[in-house]
Amino acid sequence: MKNAKLVLDKDYVISEVDKRIYGSFIEHLGRAVYTGIYEPGHPLADEEGFRSDVLGLVRQLNVPIVRYPGGNFVSGFNWEDSVGPKANRPRRLDLAWKTTETNEVGLHEFASWAKKAGSEVMYAVNLGTRGPDEARNVVEYANHRGGTYWSDLRRKNGAEDPLNIHLWCLGNEMDGPWQMCSKTAMEYGRIANEAAKLMKWVDDSIEVVACGSSSTTMPTFGDWELTMLNECYKNVDYVSLHRYYGNPHNDTEDFLASTMDLDDFIKTVVSICDAVKGKKHSKHQVNLSLDEWNVWYHSHDQDEELYKREPWGQALPLLEDIYNFEDALLVGLMLITILRNADRVKVACLAQLVNVIAPIMTRKGGGAWAQTIFYPMMDASRYGRGKSLLPVIESPRSDTKHFTDVPMMDAAATMDEAGNVTIFAVNRDLKEDCLLACDLRSFGTFREVTHTVLHHDDMKAINTEANPNEVRPVTVAAPAAGEPVLLPAASWNVIRLIK
Ligand code: AHR
């Protein structure tokens, strides 16, 4: 048995939690849209063709914002193809994912789905094959009240009121050679600046996200942020970060330590933003949008095979990672890292939401179920609201292949308006339980303590349609006030202290 200690004080606050850190992502990719959220003819489809079973699961996740329509897809996408009568919408080759896009679901349909899901739309514009002109037009189409060409077209297409999209992405992963019309940092910084300017001239209430480098592993990382922000700093509100982890060599200790890298990544991008702020003598602060994060590696080989079998297919089962229990632990650790950086990470999108590297899976014509990673996301989104508290952690530490001094017990904590405290804690140790002593010196007494645990003896356990409850949280006996909490080896824990 290991011992760890957590000190919290109600006056030691990192920041208000921006609810948008519990965002997600739907791309026109694989079966995210078609046979994912949308399947007319399915027994549970609603009058618009949206699967009500999927909507039910999305509502359980409590997702406040959903990024759309890409991703790599957006860099070749003509937004105009996706509005107006469905019969007139063109079928197009999607060069990003080598598939065929029918445009049956477009801007209006997605806005309607998001409303049903209780989410806002975070809309990405194409800065790959297109540019500032199309970007400002789509803002006018979506957000201008009426009396102009684009806003009246929206009204003619059935939306009398503006769609009021507040948050916009200026392209996607523009430093990636895989991106349609990828750019140098200077080229991107200039086009992002001009696009942001025009979009904000159309609607000065919107916020925009500039593309950071597509990953820390890119040779462009760092210099890209510095160069492009130097061009567009004044006109952008957030820089994007994308990060996926995997465990291809089955080194679970090292895999679970990956959040050391995520924390470093976040802090490096914060420093670069602030360096540009300082250099420009600016009062404006650029924050972070971690708008793609997750585990992604299980489906790589299977996707290669699929492409060989069915080039230019429609709604192919691409990126269908089947997540196991250890993936859920890493997702929990990533959420802890995001919460501890809540002063600068204001938007984060679990990529993605349905079927494509997703917490929710569906079968065409069949059921919908929650993958293992669904549960930490659900817990954090449900209870991790209010203020993020500064956790002072004492924990045994160990080294892994790529990381040193990894705390075996990692945690974040939040306090809501009523003074209820929630502690999210992961015991990374795969063999030993951990006794966690919590010193909550300034909070006074709590009426009730609850404790739920996500644990499985098999790190590779999965949920399936036939067995959807193999990995799910259970409520355990909570300790008496002041007593330490038992965190089982390899577990995600939610401890709620209720006033
Ligand atoms: O989320 C899947 C893909 O990962 C996105 O389209 C792209 O932005 C990233 O490389």
Side-chain angles (χ1 to χ4, degrees):
M1 174 86 71
K2 292 219 162 78
N3 287 287
K5 185 177 168 189
L6 172 69
V7 183
L8 298 172
D9 189 299
K10 68 177 163 44
D11 293 320
Y12 294 171
V13 171
I14 297 173
S15 163
E16 278 293 325
V17 174
D18 191 318
K19 66 175 183 183
R20 297 174 302 174
I21 65 170
Y22 302 116
S24 191
F25 179 26
I26 292 275
E27 177 167 3
H28 278 257
L29 191 191
R31 299 194 306 117
V33 175
Y34 307 108
T35 74
I37 62 170
Y38 177 79
E39 192 179 334
H42 187 279
L44 296 174
D46 68 10
E47 65 297 343
E48 289 183 286
F50 294 125
R51 285 185 60 156
S52 57
D53 52 349
V54 175
L55 271 168
L57 286 163
V58 174
R59 285 193 206 105
Q60 274 184 55
L61 274 185
N62 208 350
V63 183
I65 193 159
V66 184
R67 184 166 174 251
Y68 176 84
N72 297 338
F73 170 80
V74 84
S75 294
F77 174 60
N78 301 331
W79 70 267
E80 306 88 332
D81 292 349
S82 81
V83 299
K86 286 192 181 187
N88 300 344
R89 296 185 194 169
R91 292 165 64 86
R92 300 263 190 206
L93 290 184
D94 166 25
L95 305 188
W97 300 105
K98 315 254 172 316
T99 49
T100 301
E101 172 57 50
T102 63
N103 285 302
E104 198 178 328
V105 170
L107 179 52
H108 289 255
E109 292 79 22
F110 190 73
S112 171
W113 178 84
K115 204 168 181 181
K116 290 178 177 177
S119 308
E120 281 173 36
V121 177
M122 172 181 187
Y123 197 79
V125 298
N126 174 357
L127 292 188
T129 59
R130 309 189 96 194
D133 191 35
E134 295 82 6
R136 60 133 181 189
N137 291 344
V138 67
V139 177
E140 182 179 322
Y141 184 92
N143 287 5
H144 196 67
R145 178 143 287 286
T148 64
Y149 176 78
W150 291 113
S151 57
D152 285 344
L153 187 60
R154 179 201 71 236
R155 293 165 69 200
K156 186 170 152 232
N157 288 337
E160 181 58 33
D161 291 329
L163 303 176
N164 286 330
I165 299 176
H166 178 69
L167 189 59
W168 297 76
C169 302
L170 301 169
N172 177 70
E173 295 190 347
M174 296 308 302
D175 64 338
W178 57 88
Q179 205 68 219
M180 282 174 259
C181 301
S182 61
K183 303 201 165 13
T184 65
M186 180 59 97
E187 287 168 344
Y188 175 72
R190 291 281 308 125
I191 200 174
N193 190 51
E194 294 306 315
K197 249 168 56 184
L198 270 55
M199 290 162 78
K200 286 183 170 183
W201 283 348
V202 174
D203 179 354
D204 64 8
S205 71
I206 64 168
E207 291 187 305
V208 299
V209 184
C211 292
S213 181
S214 1
S215 174
T216 28
T217 54
M218 292 291 288
T220 27
F221 175 62
D223 196 38
W224 170 276
E225 277 75 4
L226 201 57
T227 307
M228 73 88 182
L229 275 177
N230 201 35
E231 295 305 310
C232 63
Y233 190 85
K234 188 172 103 185
N235 290 308
V236 305
D237 304 286
Y238 306 93
V239 174
S240 74
L241 294 81
H242 291 179
R243 200 65 179 103
Y244 297 99
Y245 295 105
N247 187 13
H249 306 297
N250 198 19
D251 181 346
T252 300
E253 277 93 352
D254 199 48
F255 172 61
L256 294 181
S258 307
T259 48
M260 306 284 279
D261 170 77
L262 180 64
D263 193 60
D264 209 35
F265 182 20
I266 291 171
K267 292 193 164 66
T268 306
V269 178
V270 167
S271 335
I272 299 174
C273 290
D274 292 352
V276 179
K277 179 183 183 188
K279 180 187 164 201
K280 291 185 175 292
H281 304 194
S282 173
K283 296 254 182 290
H284 172 59
Q285 178 165 297
V286 169
N287 284 318
L288 273 45
S289 171
L290 177 59
D291 46 42
E292 289 187 31
W293 69 269
N294 203 347
V295 173
W296 175 15
Y297 74 106
H298 297 284
S299 59
H300 289 335
D301 294 345
Q302 154 188 329
D303 287 352
E304 293 300 315
E305 285 308 307
L306 254 179
Y307 281 128
K308 280 188 214 145
R309 276 209 321 267
E310 221 183 322
W312 306 115
Q314 246 173 266
L316 298 180
L318 291 168
L319 279 68
E320 298 206 357
D321 275 43
I322 303 303
Y323 290 116
N324 57 34
F325 169 61
E326 68 184 18
D327 297 330
L329 286 185
L330 188 75
V331 163
L333 286 158
M334 291 180 88
L335 286 159
I336 284 174
T337 309
I338 293 168
L339 271 172
R340 282 208 307 253
N341 286 284
D343 54 333
R344 298 305 292 269
V345 179
K346 299 296 172 187
V347 181
C349 303
L350 173 68
Q352 300 192 9
L353 187 55
V354 182
N355 288 333
V356 172
I357 43 174
I360 298 168
M361 293 300 291
T362 69
R363 183 166 59 84
K364 186 178 175 189
W369 64 100
Q371 295 226 62
T372 60
I373 63 168
F374 181 93
Y375 294 106
M377 187 67 185
M378 180 190 79
D379 288 338
S381 179
R382 188 174 288 174
Y383 300 122
R385 310 272 178 140
K387 292 184 164 68
S388 175
L389 300 170
L390 183 72
V392 179
I393 294 169
E394 269 177 40
S395 163
R397 289 173 182 261
S398 73
D399 297 345
T400 68
K401 187 166 179 211
H402 293 102
F403 305 99
T404 49
D405 264 347
V406 183
M408 289 294 94
M409 194 289 299
D410 221 349
T414 55
M415 179 176 65
D416 68 17
E417 275 180 9
N420 303 316
V421 173
T422 304
I423 298 166
F424 303 98
V426 168
N427 181 3
R428 278 190 173 104
D429 197 305
L430 302 182
K431 297 198 179 76
E432 278 190 70
D433 295 349
C434 174
L435 210 47
L436 175 67
C438 300
D439 180 344
L440 278 76
R441 49 192 62 181
S442 62
F443 291 91
T445 53
F446 292 99
R447 188 170 46 81
E448 194 189 344
V449 182
T450 64
H451 182 187
T452 62
V453 177
L454 184 70
H455 169 79
H456 201 287
D457 288 338
D458 177 4
M459 298 302 286
K460 309 294 180 191
I462 58 170
N463 291 340
T464 61
E465 184 181 8
N467 188 12
N469 295 322
E470 184 63 31
V471 181
R472 64 173 305 143
V474 293
T475 301
V476 296
E483 292 300 309
V485 192
L486 182 79
L487 312 179
S491 62
W492 158 260
N493 300 265
V494 181
I495 300 132
R496 302 208 65 228
L497 299 114
I498 300 157
K499 282 281 176 192

